[in-house]
Amino acid sequence: MTYLIISDIHANLEALDAVFAAAGPYDHALVLGDLVGYGADPNDVIQRVRALPSATCIRGNHDKAATHLASVEHFNHLARFAIEWTTAQLTPDSHQWLADLPAGPVAIDPLVEICHGAPFDEDAYIFDDLDVRRALAAASRRLCLFGHTHVPAAFRQAEHVHTVGPGRTDRFHLQLDEESHYLVNCGAVGQPRDGDPRAAFALLDTFERALTIVRVPYDVAAAQAKIVAAGLPEVLAHRLAIGR
Ligand code: ZN
């Protein structure tokens, strides 16, 4: 089985289309939440994801906030402004589909589970060692895929927990062994925050036990122009160019 793994699209249609163009063939898509928020194309991004022939999609905190399933009180003023804008843009059909997305974690197969934030809490951020250990302990599968931080990261737990990548690279390859447990963030499609502005996604071949995180350039200027034209805060356009 081959999976396309995408997370944190954040209504960035240019980035999403670049990922689809670069991904090549795969069997099933895994979409780890935050389809909307920050970017200017929430409805088009939802349509693209809904049109995927085979996909499992879970919700992120921005998807919840945009559909009033969660309050925006923990969002900073930029995120809050973008959420309120997004809510006003969503068609009734998009709104309903987004509101119906399941919470993570969701087990995909005997090897893989997906979550937006962490397997113990869909809204939690995995940043430090303690978060990583807690997530590995909570994971129901040997490979737990997460998003939410917008920073690619890969951890392997055998006897001890090791950071195994990815570093700044065009393609990061991770060969999964039979014994270890893995916790992997494949990065953000639509709003990278690791200083690399290119869109991030991953391909997983469960037969070969091979996972590859890929970075792909996209038309940042077009996405920025739409954000500005929509009346969204300009800083949301600027950050796309620096990957922060
Ligand atoms: Zn996000």
Side-chain angles (χ1 to χ4, degrees), residues 164-183:
V164 289
R168 189 167 174 142
T169 173
D170 292 352
R171 296 178 83 85
F172 168 74
H173 185 74
L174 181 63
Q175 187 64 45
L176 309 172
D177 66 39
E178 302 271 347
E179 292 83 33
S180 301
H181 289 81
Y182 295 87
L183 181 66

mmCIF file with all atom_site columns, all heavy atoms in Angstrom, residues 164-183:
data_model
loop_
_atom_site.group_PDB
_atom_site.id
_atom_site.type_symbol
_atom_site.label_atom_id
_atom_site.label_alt_id
_atom_site.label_comp_id
_atom_site.label_asym_id
_atom_site.label_entity_id
_atom_site.label_seq_id
_atom_site.pdbx_PDB_ins_code
_atom_site.Cartn_x
_atom_site.Cartn_y
_atom_site.Cartn_z
_atom_site.occupancy
_atom_site.B_iso_or_equiv
_atom_site.pdbx_formal_charge
_atom_site.auth_seq_id
_atom_site.auth_comp_id
_atom_site.auth_asym_id
_atom_site.auth_atom_id
_atom_site.pdbx_PDB_model_num
ATOM 1   N N   . VAL A 1 164 ? 15.543 11.301 14.297 1.00 0.00 ? 164 VAL A N   1
ATOM 2   C CA  . VAL A 1 164 ? 16.182 10.733 13.105 1.00 0.00 ? 164 VAL A CA  1
ATOM 3   C C   . VAL A 1 164 ? 16.020 11.628 11.872 1.00 0.00 ? 164 VAL A C   1
ATOM 4   O O   . VAL A 1 164 ? 16.341 11.232 10.763 1.00 0.00 ? 164 VAL A O   1
ATOM 5   C CB  . VAL A 1 164 ? 15.636 9.321  12.800 1.00 0.00 ? 164 VAL A CB  1
ATOM 6   C CG1 . VAL A 1 164 ? 16.140 8.334  13.837 1.00 0.00 ? 164 VAL A CG1 1
ATOM 7   C CG2 . VAL A 1 164 ? 14.113 9.301  12.749 1.00 0.00 ? 164 VAL A CG2 1
ATOM 8   N N   . GLY A 1 165 ? 15.552 12.814 12.049 1.00 0.00 ? 165 GLY A N   1
ATOM 9   C CA  . GLY A 1 165 ? 15.473 13.700 10.889 1.00 0.00 ? 165 GLY A CA  1
ATOM 10  C C   . GLY A 1 165 ? 14.433 14.779 11.077 1.00 0.00 ? 165 GLY A C   1
ATOM 11  O O   . GLY A 1 165 ? 13.919 14.919 12.181 1.00 0.00 ? 165 GLY A O   1
ATOM 12  N N   . PRO A 1 166 ? 14.156 15.512 9.997  1.00 0.00 ? 166 PRO A N   1
ATOM 13  C CA  . PRO A 1 166 ? 14.742 15.353 8.676  1.00 0.00 ? 166 PRO A CA  1
ATOM 14  C C   . PRO A 1 166 ? 15.899 16.297 8.350  1.00 0.00 ? 166 PRO A C   1
ATOM 15  O O   . PRO A 1 166 ? 16.642 16.011 7.416  1.00 0.00 ? 166 PRO A O   1
ATOM 16  C CB  . PRO A 1 166 ? 13.562 15.662 7.745  1.00 0.00 ? 166 PRO A CB  1
ATOM 17  C CG  . PRO A 1 166 ? 12.747 16.650 8.501  1.00 0.00 ? 166 PRO A CG  1
ATOM 18  C CD  . PRO A 1 166 ? 12.962 16.354 9.969  1.00 0.00 ? 166 PRO A CD  1
ATOM 19  N N   . GLY A 1 167 ? 16.084 17.417 9.021  1.00 0.00 ? 167 GLY A N   1
ATOM 20  C CA  . GLY A 1 167 ? 17.078 18.382 8.542  1.00 0.00 ? 167 GLY A CA  1
ATOM 21  C C   . GLY A 1 167 ? 16.585 19.038 7.276  1.00 0.00 ? 167 GLY A C   1
ATOM 22  O O   . GLY A 1 167 ? 15.536 18.674 6.738  1.00 0.00 ? 167 GLY A O   1
ATOM 23  N N   . ARG A 1 168 ? 17.331 20.006 6.796  1.00 0.00 ? 168 ARG A N   1
ATOM 24  C CA  . ARG A 1 168 ? 16.890 20.737 5.602  1.00 0.00 ? 168 ARG A CA  1
ATOM 25  C C   . ARG A 1 168 ? 17.359 20.013 4.351  1.00 0.00 ? 168 ARG A C   1
ATOM 26  O O   . ARG A 1 168 ? 18.552 19.957 4.048  1.00 0.00 ? 168 ARG A O   1
ATOM 27  C CB  . ARG A 1 168 ? 17.444 22.162 5.635  1.00 0.00 ? 168 ARG A CB  1
ATOM 28  C CG  . ARG A 1 168 ? 16.833 23.002 4.538  1.00 0.00 ? 168 ARG A CG  1
ATOM 29  C CD  . ARG A 1 168 ? 17.113 24.471 4.731  1.00 0.00 ? 168 ARG A CD  1
ATOM 30  N NE  . ARG A 1 168 ? 16.620 25.202 3.571  1.00 0.00 ? 168 ARG A NE  1
ATOM 31  C CZ  . ARG A 1 168 ? 16.055 26.371 3.653  1.00 0.00 ? 168 ARG A CZ  1
ATOM 32  N NH1 . ARG A 1 168 ? 15.922 26.972 4.810  1.00 0.00 ? 168 ARG A NH1 1
ATOM 33  N NH2 . ARG A 1 168 ? 15.638 26.984 2.556  1.00 0.00 ? 168 ARG A NH2 1
ATOM 34  N N   . THR A 1 169 ? 16.418 19.407 3.658  1.00 0.00 ? 169 THR A N   1
ATOM 35  C CA  . THR A 1 169 ? 16.773 18.585 2.512  1.00 0.00 ? 169 THR A CA  1
ATOM 36  C C   . THR A 1 169 ? 15.594 18.526 1.546  1.00 0.00 ? 169 THR A C   1
ATOM 37  O O   . THR A 1 169 ? 14.454 18.759 1.930  1.00 0.00 ? 169 THR A O   1
ATOM 38  C CB  . THR A 1 169 ? 17.150 17.162 2.980  1.00 0.00 ? 169 THR A CB  1
ATOM 39  O OG1 . THR A 1 169 ? 17.328 16.324 1.858  1.00 0.00 ? 169 THR A OG1 1
ATOM 40  C CG2 . THR A 1 169 ? 16.058 16.561 3.860  1.00 0.00 ? 169 THR A CG2 1
ATOM 41  N N   . ASP A 1 170 ? 15.877 18.236 0.284  1.00 0.00 ? 170 ASP A N   1
ATOM 42  C CA  . ASP A 1 170 ? 14.798 18.111 -0.708 1.00 0.00 ? 170 ASP A CA  1
ATOM 43  C C   . ASP A 1 170 ? 13.970 16.867 -0.457 1.00 0.00 ? 170 ASP A C   1
ATOM 44  O O   . ASP A 1 170 ? 12.762 16.868 -0.640 1.00 0.00 ? 170 ASP A O   1
ATOM 45  C CB  . ASP A 1 170 ? 15.384 18.025 -2.120 1.00 0.00 ? 170 ASP A CB  1
ATOM 46  C CG  . ASP A 1 170 ? 16.022 19.321 -2.544 1.00 0.00 ? 170 ASP A CG  1
ATOM 47  O OD1 . ASP A 1 170 ? 15.882 20.312 -1.809 1.00 0.00 ? 170 ASP A OD1 1
ATOM 48  O OD2 . ASP A 1 170 ? 16.674 19.334 -3.602 1.00 0.00 ? 170 ASP A OD2 1
ATOM 49  N N   . ARG A 1 171 ? 14.647 15.794 -0.105 1.00 0.00 ? 171 ARG A N   1
ATOM 50  C CA  . ARG A 1 171 ? 13.972 14.508 0.152  1.00 0.00 ? 171 ARG A CA  1
ATOM 51  C C   . ARG A 1 171 ? 14.624 13.869 1.363  1.00 0.00 ? 171 ARG A C   1
ATOM 52  O O   . ARG A 1 171 ? 15.830 13.674 1.388  1.00 0.00 ? 171 ARG A O   1
ATOM 53  C CB  . ARG A 1 171 ? 14.116 13.566 -1.049 1.00 0.00 ? 171 ARG A CB  1
ATOM 54  C CG  . ARG A 1 171 ? 13.442 14.044 -2.300 1.00 0.00 ? 171 ARG A CG  1
ATOM 55  C CD  . ARG A 1 171 ? 13.680 13.082 -3.440 1.00 0.00 ? 171 ARG A CD  1
ATOM 56  N NE  . ARG A 1 171 ? 12.751 11.976 -3.413 1.00 0.00 ? 171 ARG A NE  1
ATOM 57  C CZ  . ARG A 1 171 ? 11.531 12.021 -3.955 1.00 0.00 ? 171 ARG A CZ  1
ATOM 58  N NH1 . ARG A 1 171 ? 11.112 13.093 -4.561 1.00 0.00 ? 171 ARG A NH1 1
ATOM 59  N NH2 . ARG A 1 171 ? 10.744 10.971 -3.895 1.00 0.00 ? 171 ARG A NH2 1
ATOM 60  N N   . PHE A 1 172 ? 13.807 13.549 2.351  1.00 0.00 ? 172 PHE A N   1
ATOM 61  C CA  . PHE A 1 172 ? 14.314 12.853 3.534  1.00 0.00 ? 172 PHE A CA  1
ATOM 62  C C   . PHE A 1 172 ? 13.739 11.444 3.536  1.00 0.00 ? 172 PHE A C   1
ATOM 63  O O   . PHE A 1 172 ? 12.520 11.259 3.505  1.00 0.00 ? 172 PHE A O   1
ATOM 64  C CB  . PHE A 1 172 ? 13.901 13.587 4.808  1.00 0.00 ? 172 PHE A CB  1
ATOM 65  C CG  . PHE A 1 172 ? 14.132 12.778 6.053  1.00 0.00 ? 172 PHE A CG  1
ATOM 66  C CD1 . PHE A 1 172 ? 15.415 12.585 6.538  1.00 0.00 ? 172 PHE A CD1 1
ATOM 67  C CD2 . PHE A 1 172 ? 13.070 12.208 6.727  1.00 0.00 ? 172 PHE A CD2 1
ATOM 68  C CE1 . PHE A 1 172 ? 15.638 11.835 7.679  1.00 0.00 ? 172 PHE A CE1 1
ATOM 69  C CE2 . PHE A 1 172 ? 13.278 11.446 7.870  1.00 0.00 ? 172 PHE A CE2 1
ATOM 70  C CZ  . PHE A 1 172 ? 14.569 11.257 8.335  1.00 0.00 ? 172 PHE A CZ  1
ATOM 71  N N   . HIS A 1 173 ? 14.626 10.473 3.532  1.00 0.00 ? 173 HIS A N   1
ATOM 72  C CA  . HIS A 1 173 ? 14.189 9.078  3.446  1.00 0.00 ? 173 HIS A CA  1
ATOM 73  C C   . HIS A 1 173 ? 14.323 8.404  4.805  1.00 0.00 ? 173 HIS A C   1
ATOM 74  O O   . HIS A 1 173 ? 15.366 8.500  5.455  1.00 0.00 ? 173 HIS A O   1
ATOM 75  C CB  . HIS A 1 173 ? 15.014 8.336  2.406  1.00 0.00 ? 173 HIS A CB  1
ATOM 76  C CG  . HIS A 1 173 ? 14.539 6.939  2.197  1.00 0.00 ? 173 HIS A CG  1
ATOM 77  N ND1 . HIS A 1 173 ? 13.378 6.638  1.504  1.00 0.00 ? 173 HIS A ND1 1
ATOM 78  C CD2 . HIS A 1 173 ? 15.032 5.756  2.616  1.00 0.00 ? 173 HIS A CD2 1
ATOM 79  C CE1 . HIS A 1 173 ? 13.203 5.337  1.508  1.00 0.00 ? 173 HIS A CE1 1
ATOM 80  N NE2 . HIS A 1 173 ? 14.190 4.767  2.178  1.00 0.00 ? 173 HIS A NE2 1
ATOM 81  N N   . LEU A 1 174 ? 13.258 7.729  5.223  1.00 0.00 ? 174 LEU A N   1
ATOM 82  C CA  . LEU A 1 174 ? 13.274 7.007  6.494  1.00 0.00 ? 174 LEU A CA  1
ATOM 83  C C   . LEU A 1 174 ? 12.897 5.555  6.229  1.00 0.00 ? 174 LEU A C   1
ATOM 84  O O   . LEU A 1 174 ? 11.808 5.267  5.727  1.00 0.00 ? 174 LEU A O   1
ATOM 85  C CB  . LEU A 1 174 ? 12.272 7.651  7.458  1.00 0.00 ? 174 LEU A CB  1
ATOM 86  C CG  . LEU A 1 174 ? 12.146 7.056  8.854  1.00 0.00 ? 174 LEU A CG  1
ATOM 87  C CD1 . LEU A 1 174 ? 13.451 7.198  9.627  1.00 0.00 ? 174 LEU A CD1 1
ATOM 88  C CD2 . LEU A 1 174 ? 11.016 7.748  9.621  1.00 0.00 ? 174 LEU A CD2 1
ATOM 89  N N   . GLN A 1 175 ? 13.812 4.670  6.528  1.00 0.00 ? 175 GLN A N   1
ATOM 90  C CA  . GLN A 1 175 ? 13.544 3.234  6.396  1.00 0.00 ? 175 GLN A CA  1
ATOM 91  C C   . GLN A 1 175 ? 13.066 2.714  7.753  1.00 0.00 ? 175 GLN A C   1
ATOM 92  O O   . GLN A 1 175 ? 13.802 2.798  8.738  1.00 0.00 ? 175 GLN A O   1
ATOM 93  C CB  . GLN A 1 175 ? 14.824 2.503  5.947  1.00 0.00 ? 175 GLN A CB  1
ATOM 94  C CG  . GLN A 1 175 ? 14.609 1.033  5.627  1.00 0.00 ? 175 GLN A CG  1
ATOM 95  C CD  . GLN A 1 175 ? 13.674 0.832  4.422  1.00 0.00 ? 175 GLN A CD  1
ATOM 96  O OE1 . GLN A 1 175 ? 13.805 1.504  3.405  1.00 0.00 ? 175 GLN A OE1 1
ATOM 97  N NE2 . GLN A 1 175 ? 12.710 -0.077 4.563  1.00 0.00 ? 175 GLN A NE2 1
ATOM 98  N N   . LEU A 1 176 ? 11.859 2.206  7.806  1.00 0.00 ? 176 LEU A N   1
ATOM 99  C CA  . LEU A 1 176 ? 11.292 1.761  9.077  1.00 0.00 ? 176 LEU A CA  1
ATOM 100 C C   . LEU A 1 176 ? 11.720 0.318  9.345  1.00 0.00 ? 176 LEU A C   1
ATOM 101 O O   . LEU A 1 176 ? 11.532 -0.545 8.490  1.00 0.00 ? 176 LEU A O   1
ATOM 102 C CB  . LEU A 1 176 ? 9.763  1.830  9.024  1.00 0.00 ? 176 LEU A CB  1
ATOM 103 C CG  . LEU A 1 176 ? 9.158  3.156  8.566  1.00 0.00 ? 176 LEU A CG  1
ATOM 104 C CD1 . LEU A 1 176 ? 7.654  3.006  8.373  1.00 0.00 ? 176 LEU A CD1 1
ATOM 105 C CD2 . LEU A 1 176 ? 9.434  4.255  9.573  1.00 0.00 ? 176 LEU A CD2 1
ATOM 106 N N   . ASP A 1 177 ? 12.283 0.072  10.512 1.00 0.00 ? 177 ASP A N   1
ATOM 107 C CA  . ASP A 1 177 ? 12.611 -1.326 10.838 1.00 0.00 ? 177 ASP A CA  1
ATOM 108 C C   . ASP A 1 177 ? 11.391 -2.007 11.455 1.00 0.00 ? 177 ASP A C   1
ATOM 109 O O   . ASP A 1 177 ? 10.345 -1.391 11.664 1.00 0.00 ? 177 ASP A O   1
ATOM 110 C CB  . ASP A 1 177 ? 13.869 -1.397 11.727 1.00 0.00 ? 177 ASP A CB  1
ATOM 111 C CG  . ASP A 1 177 ? 13.650 -0.781 13.097 1.00 0.00 ? 177 ASP A CG  1
ATOM 112 O OD1 . ASP A 1 177 ? 12.554 -0.961 13.665 1.00 0.00 ? 177 ASP A OD1 1
ATOM 113 O OD2 . ASP A 1 177 ? 14.576 -0.117 13.611 1.00 0.00 ? 177 ASP A OD2 1
ATOM 114 N N   . GLU A 1 178 ? 11.522 -3.287 11.760 1.00 0.00 ? 178 GLU A N   1
ATOM 115 C CA  . GLU A 1 178 ? 10.369 -4.074 12.221 1.00 0.00 ? 178 GLU A CA  1
ATOM 116 C C   . GLU A 1 178 ? 10.076 -3.867 13.708 1.00 0.00 ? 178 GLU A C   1
ATOM 117 O O   . GLU A 1 178 ? 8.968  -4.132 14.165 1.00 0.00 ? 178 GLU A O   1
ATOM 118 C CB  . GLU A 1 178 ? 10.634 -5.574 11.985 1.00 0.00 ? 178 GLU A CB  1
ATOM 119 C CG  . GLU A 1 178 ? 10.920 -5.946 10.543 1.00 0.00 ? 178 GLU A CG  1
ATOM 120 C CD  . GLU A 1 178 ? 9.652  -6.272 9.767  1.00 0.00 ? 178 GLU A CD  1
ATOM 121 O OE1 . GLU A 1 178 ? 8.608  -6.445 10.406 1.00 0.00 ? 178 GLU A OE1 1
ATOM 122 O OE2 . GLU A 1 178 ? 9.722  -6.326 8.533  1.00 0.00 ? 178 GLU A OE2 1
ATOM 123 N N   . GLU A 1 179 ? 11.102 -3.428 14.468 1.00 0.00 ? 179 GLU A N   1
ATOM 124 C CA  . GLU A 1 179 ? 10.963 -3.433 15.919 1.00 0.00 ? 179 GLU A CA  1
ATOM 125 C C   . GLU A 1 179 ? 10.618 -2.074 16.523 1.00 0.00 ? 179 GLU A C   1
ATOM 126 O O   . GLU A 1 179 ? 10.025 -2.013 17.593 1.00 0.00 ? 179 GLU A O   1
ATOM 127 C CB  . GLU A 1 179 ? 12.266 -3.913 16.578 1.00 0.00 ? 179 GLU A CB  1
ATOM 128 C CG  . GLU A 1 179 ? 12.594 -5.371 16.342 1.00 0.00 ? 179 GLU A CG  1
ATOM 129 C CD  . GLU A 1 179 ? 13.272 -5.592 15.006 1.00 0.00 ? 179 GLU A CD  1
ATOM 130 O OE1 . GLU A 1 179 ? 14.025 -4.689 14.584 1.00 0.00 ? 179 GLU A OE1 1
ATOM 131 O OE2 . GLU A 1 179 ? 13.023 -6.631 14.369 1.00 0.00 ? 179 GLU A OE2 1
ATOM 132 N N   . SER A 1 180 ? 11.029 -1.000 15.868 1.00 0.00 ? 180 SER A N   1
ATOM 133 C CA  . SER A 1 180 ? 10.938 0.326  16.496 1.00 0.00 ? 180 SER A CA  1
ATOM 134 C C   . SER A 1 180 ? 9.546  0.929  16.350 1.00 0.00 ? 180 SER A C   1
ATOM 135 O O   . SER A 1 180 ? 8.735  0.496  15.526 1.00 0.00 ? 180 SER A O   1
ATOM 136 C CB  . SER A 1 180 ? 11.958 1.270  15.861 1.00 0.00 ? 180 SER A CB  1
ATOM 137 O OG  . SER A 1 180 ? 13.255 0.765  16.012 1.00 0.00 ? 180 SER A OG  1
ATOM 138 N N   . HIS A 1 181 ? 9.316  1.941  17.169 1.00 0.00 ? 181 HIS A N   1
ATOM 139 C CA  . HIS A 1 181 ? 8.125  2.770  17.024 1.00 0.00 ? 181 HIS A CA  1
ATOM 140 C C   . HIS A 1 181 ? 8.560  4.130  16.470 1.00 0.00 ? 181 HIS A C   1
ATOM 141 O O   . HIS A 1 181 ? 9.634  4.635  16.833 1.00 0.00 ? 181 HIS A O   1
ATOM 142 C CB  . HIS A 1 181 ? 7.430  2.948  18.376 1.00 0.00 ? 181 HIS A CB  1
ATOM 143 C CG  . HIS A 1 181 ? 6.774  1.693  18.856 1.00 0.00 ? 181 HIS A CG  1
ATOM 144 N ND1 . HIS A 1 181 ? 7.465  0.684  19.477 1.00 0.00 ? 181 HIS A ND1 1
ATOM 145 C CD2 . HIS A 1 181 ? 5.476  1.280  18.782 1.00 0.00 ? 181 HIS A CD2 1
ATOM 146 C CE1 . HIS A 1 181 ? 6.617  -0.306 19.769 1.00 0.00 ? 181 HIS A CE1 1
ATOM 147 N NE2 . HIS A 1 181 ? 5.412  0.034  19.359 1.00 0.00 ? 181 HIS A NE2 1
ATOM 148 N N   . TYR A 1 182 ? 7.717  4.705  15.644 1.00 0.00 ? 182 TYR A N   1
ATOM 149 C CA  . TYR A 1 182 ? 8.069  5.958  14.975 1.00 0.00 ? 182 TYR A CA  1
ATOM 150 C C   . TYR A 1 182 ? 6.961  6.990  15.158 1.00 0.00 ? 182 TYR A C   1
ATOM 151 O O   . TYR A 1 182 ? 5.771  6.649  15.156 1.00 0.00 ? 182 TYR A O   1
ATOM 152 C CB  . TYR A 1 182 ? 8.277  5.725  13.475 1.00 0.00 ? 182 TYR A CB  1
ATOM 153 C CG  . TYR A 1 182 ? 9.449  4.837  13.158 1.00 0.00 ? 182 TYR A CG  1
ATOM 154 C CD1 . TYR A 1 182 ? 9.293  3.456  13.111 1.00 0.00 ? 182 TYR A CD1 1
ATOM 155 C CD2 . TYR A 1 182 ? 10.710 5.373  12.929 1.00 0.00 ? 182 TYR A CD2 1
ATOM 156 C CE1 . TYR A 1 182 ? 10.367 2.625  12.838 1.00 0.00 ? 182 TYR A CE1 1
ATOM 157 C CE2 . TYR A 1 182 ? 11.791 4.549  12.653 1.00 0.00 ? 182 TYR A CE2 1
ATOM 158 C CZ  . TYR A 1 182 ? 11.616 3.180  12.605 1.00 0.00 ? 182 TYR A CZ  1
ATOM 159 O OH  . TYR A 1 182 ? 12.681 2.366  12.344 1.00 0.00 ? 182 TYR A OH  1
ATOM 160 N N   . LEU A 1 183 ? 7.412  8.224  15.289 1.00 0.00 ? 183 LEU A N   1
ATOM 161 C CA  . LEU A 1 183 ? 6.511  9.368  15.401 1.00 0.00 ? 183 LEU A CA  1
ATOM 162 C C   . LEU A 1 183 ? 7.011  10.388 14.379 1.00 0.00 ? 183 LEU A C   1
ATOM 163 O O   . LEU A 1 183 ? 8.149  10.857 14.487 1.00 0.00 ? 183 LEU A O   1
ATOM 164 C CB  . LEU A 1 183 ? 6.609  9.918  16.829 1.00 0.00 ? 183 LEU A CB  1
ATOM 165 C CG  . LEU A 1 183 ? 5.750  11.110 17.218 1.00 0.00 ? 183 LEU A CG  1
ATOM 166 C CD1 . LEU A 1 183 ? 4.266  10.735 17.203 1.00 0.00 ? 183 LEU A CD1 1
ATOM 167 C CD2 . LEU A 1 183 ? 6.159  11.599 18.609 1.00 0.00 ? 183 LEU A CD2 1
#
